[in-house]
Amino acid sequence: MARVDMMLTLAGFDEALRSGRIKTTRMQGNEKIQIHQDMPDGRTPRLTYARTKGSGVTAVTVITTAEPIDGMRCFHLGYAVREDQREKGLAKDLASAAVADFVANIVRNGMRDFCIEAIVDRDNPVSGSVARAVLGVDPIEKNDTSDGTPIWQFVKVIS
Protein backbone atom coordinates (compact mmCIF):
# COMPACT_ATOMS: atom_id res chain seq x y z
CA MET A 1 0.00 0.00 0.00
CA ALA A 2 2.72 2.45 -0.99
CA ARG A 3 1.55 6.01 -1.57
CA VAL A 4 1.78 7.90 -4.86
CA ASP A 5 2.43 11.64 -5.18
CA MET A 6 -0.74 12.64 -6.99
CA MET A 7 0.52 16.18 -7.63
CA LEU A 8 3.28 14.64 -9.77
CA THR A 9 0.60 12.60 -11.52
CA LEU A 10 -1.42 15.75 -12.21
CA ALA A 11 1.64 17.60 -13.56
CA GLY A 12 2.65 14.67 -15.77
CA PHE A 13 -0.85 14.24 -17.13
CA ASP A 14 -1.10 17.98 -17.82
CA GLU A 15 2.21 17.97 -19.71
CA ALA A 16 1.30 14.86 -21.72
CA LEU A 17 -2.10 16.28 -22.66
CA ARG A 18 -0.67 19.68 -23.67
CA SER A 19 2.05 18.07 -25.78
CA GLY A 20 -0.43 15.79 -27.55
CA ARG A 21 1.24 12.57 -26.36
CA ILE A 22 -2.08 11.37 -24.96
CA LYS A 23 -5.65 11.66 -26.15
CA THR A 24 -8.78 11.76 -24.04
CA THR A 25 -12.47 11.08 -24.54
CA ARG A 26 -15.32 12.94 -22.87
CA MET A 27 -17.20 11.23 -20.08
CA GLN A 28 -20.65 10.17 -21.17
CA GLY A 29 -23.14 12.27 -19.25
CA ASN A 30 -20.55 14.80 -18.09
CA GLU A 31 -18.83 16.60 -20.95
CA LYS A 32 -16.64 18.60 -18.52
CA ILE A 33 -14.66 15.50 -17.62
CA GLN A 34 -12.05 13.93 -19.89
CA ILE A 35 -10.96 10.30 -19.55
CA HIS A 36 -7.72 8.64 -20.55
CA GLN A 37 -7.03 4.90 -20.24
CA ASP A 38 -3.52 3.49 -20.34
CA MET A 39 -1.25 0.84 -18.89
CA PRO A 40 1.90 2.70 -17.80
CA ASP A 41 3.83 -0.33 -16.56
CA GLY A 42 2.58 -2.62 -19.33
CA ARG A 43 0.36 -4.70 -17.06
CA THR A 44 -1.67 -2.48 -14.69
CA PRO A 45 -4.63 -0.67 -16.28
CA ARG A 46 -5.16 2.93 -15.20
CA LEU A 47 -8.07 5.29 -15.79
CA THR A 48 -7.42 9.01 -15.40
CA TYR A 49 -10.35 11.39 -15.16
CA ALA A 50 -9.46 15.07 -15.61
CA ARG A 51 -11.01 18.51 -15.43
CA THR A 52 -9.42 21.29 -17.45
CA LYS A 53 -9.64 25.04 -17.45
CA GLY A 54 -8.30 26.83 -20.50
CA SER A 55 -5.47 24.67 -21.73
CA GLY A 56 -4.45 23.30 -18.34
CA VAL A 57 -5.51 20.38 -16.15
CA THR A 58 -7.03 21.63 -12.91
CA ALA A 59 -7.80 18.29 -11.24
CA VAL A 60 -7.30 14.57 -11.77
CA THR A 61 -8.73 11.41 -10.32
CA VAL A 62 -6.97 8.13 -11.03
CA ILE A 63 -8.38 4.63 -10.60
CA THR A 64 -6.07 1.66 -10.97
CA THR A 65 -5.90 -1.93 -9.79
CA ALA A 66 -4.57 -2.50 -6.30
CA GLU A 67 -3.62 -5.46 -4.15
CA PRO A 68 -6.62 -7.55 -3.09
CA ILE A 69 -8.08 -6.83 0.33
CA ASP A 70 -9.26 -9.90 2.25
CA GLY A 71 -9.20 -11.83 -1.03
CA MET A 72 -11.45 -9.29 -2.77
CA ARG A 73 -10.48 -7.54 -6.00
CA CYS A 74 -9.56 -3.95 -5.20
CA PHE A 75 -9.08 -0.69 -7.09
CA HIS A 76 -7.12 2.28 -5.82
CA LEU A 77 -8.51 5.82 -5.96
CA GLY A 78 -6.21 8.84 -6.03
CA TYR A 79 -6.89 12.51 -6.71
CA ALA A 80 -5.19 15.89 -6.87
CA VAL A 81 -6.17 19.49 -7.53
CA ARG A 82 -3.90 22.22 -8.79
CA GLU A 83 -3.03 24.53 -5.90
CA ASP A 84 -4.67 27.63 -7.43
CA GLN A 85 -7.92 25.68 -7.92
CA ARG A 86 -8.34 24.32 -4.38
CA GLU A 87 -11.25 25.01 -2.03
CA LYS A 88 -13.77 24.89 -4.89
CA GLY A 89 -14.97 21.31 -4.37
CA LEU A 90 -13.17 20.02 -7.49
CA ALA A 91 -11.58 16.98 -5.81
CA LYS A 92 -14.85 15.77 -4.31
CA ASP A 93 -16.87 16.46 -7.47
CA LEU A 94 -14.39 14.86 -9.86
CA ALA A 95 -13.65 11.85 -7.64
CA SER A 96 -17.38 11.26 -7.05
CA ALA A 97 -18.12 11.38 -10.78
CA ALA A 98 -15.14 9.13 -11.56
CA VAL A 99 -16.12 6.51 -8.98
CA ALA A 100 -19.75 6.51 -10.16
CA ASP A 101 -18.67 6.13 -13.80
CA PHE A 102 -16.12 3.43 -12.97
CA VAL A 103 -18.51 1.40 -10.81
CA ALA A 104 -21.33 1.62 -13.37
CA ASN A 105 -19.04 0.44 -16.16
CA ILE A 106 -17.40 -2.35 -14.22
CA VAL A 107 -20.71 -3.69 -12.90
CA ARG A 108 -22.22 -3.45 -16.40
CA ASN A 109 -19.33 -5.64 -17.58
CA GLY A 110 -20.16 -8.31 -15.02
CA MET A 111 -17.81 -7.67 -12.11
CA ARG A 112 -19.32 -8.04 -8.67
CA ASP A 113 -17.85 -8.01 -5.19
CA PHE A 114 -14.91 -5.63 -5.30
CA CYS A 115 -13.66 -2.71 -3.29
CA ILE A 116 -12.30 0.76 -3.87
CA GLU A 117 -9.63 2.10 -1.54
CA ALA A 118 -8.06 5.49 -0.98
CA ILE A 119 -4.82 5.92 0.98
CA VAL A 120 -4.35 9.33 2.61
CA ASP A 121 -1.55 10.68 4.79
CA ARG A 122 -2.95 11.37 8.25
CA ASP A 123 -1.43 14.84 8.14
CA ASN A 124 -3.71 15.70 5.18
CA PRO A 125 -7.18 16.09 6.72
CA VAL A 126 -8.59 17.84 3.62
CA SER A 127 -7.79 14.83 1.45
CA GLY A 128 -9.20 12.60 4.18
CA SER A 129 -12.48 14.49 4.11
CA VAL A 130 -12.64 14.05 0.32
CA ALA A 131 -12.10 10.28 0.64
CA ARG A 132 -14.71 10.05 3.40
CA ALA A 133 -17.26 12.01 1.33
CA VAL A 134 -16.61 10.11 -1.92
CA LEU A 135 -16.41 6.59 -0.50
CA GLY A 136 -18.80 7.09 2.41
CA VAL A 137 -16.72 5.10 4.88
CA ASP A 138 -14.61 5.82 7.95
CA PRO A 139 -10.87 5.22 7.68
CA ILE A 140 -8.66 2.57 9.20
CA GLU A 141 -5.48 3.95 10.79
CA LYS A 142 -2.37 2.25 9.44
CA ASN A 143 1.24 2.95 8.54
CA ASP A 144 2.53 2.93 4.97
CA THR A 145 4.33 -0.36 4.35
CA SER A 146 7.16 1.29 2.42
CA ASP A 147 8.23 4.04 4.84
CA GLY A 148 6.05 3.83 7.96
CA THR A 149 4.22 7.12 7.35
CA PRO A 150 0.92 7.27 9.30
CA ILE A 151 -1.96 6.91 6.84
CA TRP A 152 -5.70 6.46 6.69
CA GLN A 153 -7.02 3.67 4.49
CA PHE A 154 -10.58 4.13 3.27
CA VAL A 155 -12.14 0.95 1.84
CA LYS A 156 -15.58 0.84 0.24
CA VAL A 157 -16.91 -2.63 -0.56
CA ILE A 158 -19.21 -2.91 -3.57
CA SER A 159 -21.26 -6.08 -3.93
Side-chain angles (χ1 to χ4, degrees), residues 7-117:
M7 288 306 297
L8 291 177
T9 300
L10 187 151
F13 188 84
D14 183 54
E15 190 280 322
L17 189 59
R18 285 177 193 248
S19 70
R21 287 186 293 125
I22 61 171
K23 302 291 182 211
T24 61
T25 58
R26 298 285 178 180
M27 177 191 280
Q28 187 173 352
N30 191 334
E31 293 296 309
K32 294 180 180 179
I33 298 174
Q34 299 178 53
I35 304 172
H36 175 71
Q37 182 174 353
D38 65 353
M39 208 174 301
D41 64 2
R43 64 183 193 280
T44 307
R46 173 176 68 179
L47 278 172
T48 302
Y49 295 80
R51 290 281 308 261
T52 59
K53 184 175 185 179
S55 63
V57 175
T58 58
V60 295
T61 293
V62 175
I63 300 175
T64 188
T65 56
E67 293 295 318
I69 295 178
D70 297 330
M72 183 177 288
R73 180 102 189 244
C74 189
F75 299 92
H76 180 77
L77 170 70
Y79 42 86
V81 175
R82 210 171 65 198
E83 209 168 306
D84 66 331
Q85 295 296 309
R86 293 184 181 163
E87 298 183 20
K88 298 179 181 182
L90 289 174
K92 183 179 148 194
D93 291 347
L94 180 59
S96 293
V99 167
D101 180 73
F102 178 78
V103 169
N105 284 314
I106 203 163
V107 167
R108 186 178 316 112
N109 286 311
M111 185 177 287
R112 304 285 187 273
D113 301 323
F114 59 93
C115 62
I116 298 175
E117 73 164 355

